[in-house]
Every structure is written in structure tokens, then in C-alpha cells.
Amino acid sequence: MRKKLAMLLAVVMGISTMGGCGSAEQSVPKEGEVEDIRLMVWAPSGDQSKDKGEWLQTCCNEFAKQHPEYNIDFVYGVADEATAADSVAQDPEASADVFMYANDNVTTLTDAKAAAKFGGIYEEEIIKTNSEAVADSVRVDGYIYGVPFTTNTWFMFYDKRVFSDEDVKNLDTMLKKGVVSFPFTNSWYLPSFYIGNGCTLFEDGTVEEAGVDFEGEKAEEVTDYLIDLLANPNFVVDADGSGIAGMRDGSINAMFSGSWEAANLESILGENMGVVSLPTYSLNGEEKQMMSYAGSKVIGVNSKSKHMVASIQLAIYLGSAEAQKLRYELETVVPCNTELLADPEIAGDLLVAAQNNTFNSTSILQPTVGRMSNCWTPVENMGKGIRNKTITHENSKEQTQAMHDAMNSEGL
């Protein structure tokens, strides 16, 4: 009877009990009864650090106060957003009930049937408090698999003493006035030029059988542009921290990165730190918009959790406006909750504006299809080949085609 009640409650609340993607086996306490439960929560070390205010512990303690029906024993583990999904997918039984992950790993979780679906009132809450694009970043086959807590993309930081507000609208204009660094051999960044000139990945990023279109004149033009870009003495390849080092010693005046570098750059530049969404670049007399990959970071729930209702409720709370605001205050993690983004104090933060303007206007959602894994190495090799001068104007056409073919292969 208790199991039937639990499953009925899960259906009403929107927790999947079917298909191995969320199993609500938690019993429902009688009114006034307190249930002893143990919840394992994984998060990056910074979220648990005393130096940064112990965001995770603070929020979990607050959640416990708001839910007196549970007597919760929290167990904390360290796992960053880039690796947590792999660990959960490989062994859900031994993994955390609640964990943080980057949305581009969502299909790793769903393929392994290791993530709980958020439906009913919980899906409604996620949709209500996020933009459509942010909510879609964790949607697979119509189902939502987590609570977004920040957008994840990159944009541009610059020294306001060198570049004006008008200068930073176009990369080639900037290169006439100062030194710009870019992660040229990093395949999360380099596609921005190709996408800006009409190249596509899996149509809108979700149609795996459509493949990648990084070939033909539109792609060849970009390869030739990049060869010339690297030859510009005011353009520097950012690798192994050289960009931030150059900003510190003044040899570099602008760099491309994300919110994780904001504190370092503010300590270097102070009030002279500028931060904006991506500039255009000039290709054959036309301005093309650089377009970054974008996604979100998400709070997920293990489909094998023994306390599914409480785990779902905790995930919703950790992604709430209250928790996002505290994370922003303690760690400068840019919120994505629409209520917070309407707050004049938060909206007035240049970092928040740059990240959200980039997400909304100068980015595409990073594809989450399985064949996306075949795209990273060919693009990295293109950047390295141009840097090493083995890719030249003389062979750029065939090298561009080779990159396209490799991106559409079954893997390298």
C-alpha cells in the first residue's frame, strides 16, 4: 500500500516511475511523521569551500529547515560539472542522489537511463523560471532532465583604456588598436567563426542524421580568414593561461573566456575591465557575427535514488531564485532564473549582461547528439595546423574539406 501511495504521489508531482529514468520508491510519511533519509549530493569543490561561503551546505541546511517532514543526513561529495554525468551513467547505484552536470552531457545520462525526468509541477516550475532556450537545453525527446542554474558560454573581456565601446563591436577594428588573444586551438571556441558564416551542426543541433555542414565556399572562406588572422601581429593564440598572463602584464588587451575568469580579470583591470558579448568579424567586406557554443549547468537527480521525492525537491530548491542569488553573491555564478535577471541590481552587472546577451544573441545551443563527440578533434587539428603553418592558403580548400569529412565520420 505504501509503495502504491508513493507511486501515486510521484505521478501527481511529475516524477517518472517508468523506463528506468526515475524510480519513485520513496515511501510517503503519514501526516506529522518524520522520515529519516540519507541524501548524497555531489557538487564542485568551490560550492563547498569555506573560503567561498559553503554555498552547498548552506542551501541544504535551509532545505532541511523548509522540510520538517524529513530528518536528512546529507553526505557531500566533490564532482565537477564536466565529469559527474559520466560517473552517474557508469554506476548509478553507487552515485549521488543529486548532482551538478553540464547540459551537453544530458544524452550520456539518458542513454544510460541514469537521470530522473522532471514532470508535473516540477516541470512547470522549471519552464516558468527559465527562458525557453535555457529550458530546452536540458530537454531530450520532450522530457526535462534537470534544473538549470546558470548559462554556460564564453564572451569577451577587454581593457577599456585601449578599446572604446564602438571598437569592441568588430574584431578587426580592435586589431588595429590593440592586442587580442583567442583560444585558437581550442575546439570549443574556433567554430565561432565558421558558424558565423553559415556552417551548421546537425541542423539546429538536434538532428543527428543531418550531420555537420562545414564544407564548401562558406567554410573555405573562413579558413582563409583564419590564416590571415593568425598572421596579424596584434593577434595572439591563447593557450595554457597565456591570455590571462598577458592581460596581467599588459601585453594583451582583450581575451575571450567566461565568467570563471571574471574575478581574476577584475583584480587585474579593476574599473577598467570591460566585458561584452561577441564581436563581429570582417569577411570579404561583410560583417559576420561570431557565434559561440552555449549551454547550461544543471542540477540532476539520479534515477536510482532511494528517496526520489526528496531528491527532486532538493534539486528544485538548489536551482531556485533564492539559491541562485546566494551562489551569485558568494561565487559570482551568473544566474539564469528569469526573476533574478529582472532584478535591476543583477541586470546592471556587466558580467551578467554579457553572459546573457551572448546566450540570447551571439550563440547557438551546443549540440547534445552523440555524434558531436566526433567534432572536437578535427576542429582542434584545424587550429593547430593553421598555427603551425601546415595549413596555408594553398591547401586551405582541401584541408577544410578534410575537417568536414572527419567531423562527419564515425569517430577518430
Side-chain angles (χ1 to χ4, degrees):
M1 178 61 70
R2 295 184 72 188
K3 183 174 180 180
K4 289 181 179 178
L5 285 171
M7 294 184 73
L8 177 60
L9 179 63
V11 171
V12 171
M13 289 185 167
I15 302 166
S16 171
T17 62
M18 304 297 289
C21 290
S23 176
E25 297 296 328
Q26 179 183 358
S27 60
V28 181
K30 296 176 182 178
E31 186 175 353
E33 180 181 320
V34 176
E35 182 181 11
D36 293 329
I37 62 175
R38 178 181 182 271
L39 293 180
M40 182 182 293
V41 186
W42 285 352
S45 58
D47 290 332
Q48 305 177 52
S49 167
K50 289 184 179 180
D51 293 340
K52 294 187 177 181
E54 296 185 325
W55 172 83
L56 181 63
Q57 296 92 318
T58 301
C59 287
C60 285
N61 289 336
E62 180 58 31
F63 174 80
K65 291 178 184 177
Q66 295 183 16
H67 290 271
E69 68 273 24
Y70 305 127
N71 178 33
I72 309 173
D73 175 22
F74 287 108
V75 179
Y76 302 113
V78 175
D80 63 36
E81 295 98 344
T83 59
D86 284 334
S87 297
V88 176
Q90 289 168 12
D91 191 356
E93 298 282 359
S95 298
D97 297 279
V98 178
F99 57 96
M100 319 287 169
Y101 73 95
N103 83 299
D104 58 302
N105 291 319
V106 65
T107 53
T108 298
L109 292 164
T110 57
D111 288 348
K113 297 184 178 179
K117 300 170 183 173
F118 287 64
I121 60 172
Y122 301 119
E123 181 182 22
E124 291 171 8
E125 179 68 14
I126 293 167
I127 292 171
K128 182 178 71 174
T129 57
N130 290 281
S131 70
E132 182 178 358
V134 171
D136 284 347
S137 72
V138 289
R139 194 188 299 276
V140 178
D141 296 331
Y143 296 103
I144 287 179
Y145 287 93
V147 188
F149 64 86
T150 187
T151 48
N152 186 31
T153 190
W154 52 271
F155 33 90
M156 187 170 69
F157 295 90
Y158 66 97
D159 189 333
K160 293 194 288 187
R161 293 168 296 188
V162 178
F163 303 112
S164 69
D165 293 346
E166 191 64 27
D167 293 334
V168 298
K169 294 179 179 180
N170 180 270
L171 176 61
D172 299 280
T173 299
M174 294 176 69
L175 290 168
K176 296 174 183 177
K177 299 187 67 174
V179 178
V180 179
S181 71
F182 184 83
F184 198 82
T185 58
N186 187 318
S187 50
W188 197 47
Y189 292 81
L190 193 61
S192 60
F193 293 96
Y194 290 95
I195 297 167
N197 200 38
C199 294
T200 60
L201 300 101
F202 313 105
E203 292 188 358
D204 64 351
T206 65
V207 185
E208 189 163 22
E209 59 272 21
V212 175
D213 181 8
F214 268 50
E215 68 177 342
E217 185 176 355
K218 62 184 177 300
E220 295 159 13
E221 288 176 341
V222 174
T223 300
D224 283 322
Y225 171 85
L226 294 174
I227 292 168
D228 291 336
L229 181 64
L230 194 72
N232 190 316
N234 274 354
F235 181 84
V236 177
V237 175
D238 183 354
D240 302 320
S242 61
I244 194 79
M247 296 292 285
R248 183 174 290 109
D249 66 23
S251 61
I252 290 172
N253 312 121
M255 65 176 286
F256 295 81
S257 190
S259 57
W260 53 90
E261 287 284 22
N264 286 333
L265 286 162
E266 188 170 15
S267 70
I268 293 167
L269 295 174
E271 62 182 14
N272 295 309
M273 184 183 82
V275 54
V276 292
S277 56
L278 302 185
T280 60
Y281 67 100
S282 302
L283 183 66
N284 298 330
E286 296 183 7
E287 287 199 11
K288 303 292 184 177
Q289 178 62 60
M290 293 176 66
M291 299 289 284
S292 65
Y293 287 139
S296 61
K297 293 183 179 181
V298 190
I299 302 149
V301 171
N302 190 330
S303 65
K304 301 299 184 183
S305 174
K306 295 178 181 178
H307 305 289
M308 185 60 71
V309 175
S311 294
I312 291 280
Q313 290 171 337
L314 176 60
I316 289 288
Y317 178 74
L318 293 176
S320 67
E322 181 179 348
Q324 284 191 34
K325 185 174 184 180
L326 180 63
R327 205 174 204 166
Y328 169 70
E329 292 168 349
L330 294 177
E331 303 176 43
T332 324
V333 174
V334 175
C336 61
N337 180 282
T338 49
E339 176 187 330
L340 293 179
L341 295 180
D343 182 326
E345 184 176 346
I346 294 175
D349 184 332
L350 293 178
L351 177 66
V352 173
Q355 180 158 316
N356 284 288
N357 287 343
T358 299
F359 186 91
N360 293 329
S361 303
T362 63
S363 72
I364 63 166
L365 278 179
Q366 181 175 315
T368 57
V369 299
R371 288 178 61 193
M372 183 65 188
S373 62
N374 301 333
C375 298
W376 302 111
T377 299
V379 176
E380 179 183 340
N381 289 341
M382 173 62 78
K384 288 179 177 178
I386 295 173
R387 181 197 61 185
N388 299 337
K389 296 182 171 56
T390 57
I391 296 177
T392 64
H393 288 303
E394 287 68 34
N395 65 13
S396 63
K397 181 175 181 178
E398 64 186 69
Q399 291 293 331
T400 302
Q401 185 65 45
M403 175 181 66
H404 166 86
D405 292 343
M407 293 173 80
N408 284 286
S409 73
E410 293 306 314
L412 297 176

